[in-house]
Every structure is written in C-alpha cells, then in structure tokens.
Amino acid sequence: QVQLVESGGGLVQPGGSLRLSCVASGFTLDYYAIGWFRQATGKEREGVSCISSSDGETHYADSVKGRFTISRDNAKNTVYLQMNSLKPEDTAVYYCAADQTTAQAMAAHGGDSWGQGTQVTVSS
C-alpha cells in the first residue's frame, strides 16, 4: 500500500526555519518525482517545490525561491523541504505527493499519491 507521511510542521516566528520530511512506504521513491504543495485556509492548493526521480531536476514557486530547498535521500525513502526565512504568508497545510512524472509536470498538475499534510504556522 502506497503511503506518504509528512512531519516537521509547527509554529515558528517570522524569519525562522523548519524542515519538513516526507517518508514513503509501500513503494521505492527512486522512480518517483516528489512534490511539496500547500493550501492556506480559504485559498487554492499551491505547488511549492518538486524534484524529479532521476536527474535531480527541481522546480520552485517564485514565492519560495531562494528560501526553500527540496532534497531527497532515496536510501531513506525520504524527501525533505528545508524552509528558511519563513514569512506569515507561508502559513498553510503542507502536503507531499508522488508520481512517475517530471518535476515540471508535477508542479502544474500534482501527483497520484498524497500524504495527510502537516501544519506550518508562521506567527509572532
């Protein structure tokens, strides 16, 4: 059974950092692109960052470029999202998704499998 579990969310002050983790089970991440998406209350889901399965291609939303970094550790079947210089507008539920596609395609269309999400709140 394919399962994605996110963790690492929480409450942080503006300017702070968090690292989100997405652990996969039931399948091997090696052959999947992984993406991070977020949805704030009352807003549509937004693609944050995606990474391809093979060549390390990455995609970032303009709103997070230079602040967020996506990485993957296939040996641990885990993908990370390092979030620095957090802003109140980054507050949202963050989800990871997996699909056998490119990072660019995933950023536009999402993925086949989704985790349950982790809450990130940026507030003083």
Side-chain angles (χ1 to χ4, degrees), residues 35-121:
W36 285 98
F37 298 80
R38 67 187 180 187
Q39 188 164 21
T41 303
K43 295 188 176 181
E44 293 186 354
R45 187 185 69 197
E46 173 190 22
V48 176
S49 182
C50 301
I51 186 167
S52 67
S53 59
S54 55
D55 60 6
E57 174 198 6
T58 57
H59 178 275
Y60 293 94
D62 288 342
S63 58
V64 306
K65 282 181 181 176
R67 300 189 298 123
F68 291 10
T69 302
I70 191 170
S71 61
R72 61 192 300 154
D73 185 340
N74 287 345
K76 295 183 178 180
N77 236 27
T78 301
V79 173
Y80 303 99
L81 185 67
Q82 178 67 43
M83 306 187 296
N84 298 328
S85 302
L86 283 161
K87 304 175 181 180
E89 50 264 44
D90 294 318
T91 295
V93 177
Y94 284 70
Y95 301 88
C96 66
D99 202 349
Q100 290 181 302
T101 184
T102 66
Q104 293 285 353
M106 170 165 275
H109 304 295
D112 282 344
S113 301
W114 293 83
Q116 84 289 347
T118 185
Q119 175 71 46
V120 171
T121 303

